[in-house]
Amino acid sequence: MRKAWAALRPGRSAGTRRARQGSQGFGFFRLPPGEYAVIVFHDENDNGLLDTGIFGVPVEGYGFSNNAEGFLSAPAWRAARVVLGNADHKRIAISLIY
């Protein structure tokens, strides 16, 4: 893993996958019941970071669970959260915003 991921706080997980055209999948397994949120981004320049431009607006594709959107910031937790119960197997789709 890259240095950019080394500073993850407890309770957070990260992974990478090489970009390709079309849809891609990624799995998190054996998560305990609870509330989760997912953010994905297209690291176009492969520097391990979601690059931003003026005013902190991302210049690479990004998306949140539930396709939640914020206004000049990340969306509210309630908008992006996914609730998992015992033995839940959920599949979520996230569309990237460019």
Side-chain angles (χ1 to χ4, degrees), residues 44-64:
E44 295 179 46
N45 60 2
D46 201 26
N47 69 352
L49 302 169
L50 174 59
D51 295 320
T52 59
I54 192 162
F55 304 117
V57 176
V59 295
E60 297 176 309
Y62 68 96
F64 293 90

Side-chain angles (χ1 to χ4, degrees), residues 38-40 50 55-58 62-81 94-98:
V38 178
I39 179 174
V40 296
L50 174 59
F55 304 117
V57 176
Y62 68 96
F64 293 90
S65 41
N66 299 327
N67 289 317
E69 293 185 37
F71 181 72
L72 298 178
S73 67
W77 170 257
R78 281 191 162 287
R81 76 179 174 163
I94 299 173
S95 298
L96 297 184
I97 300 166
Y98 283 90

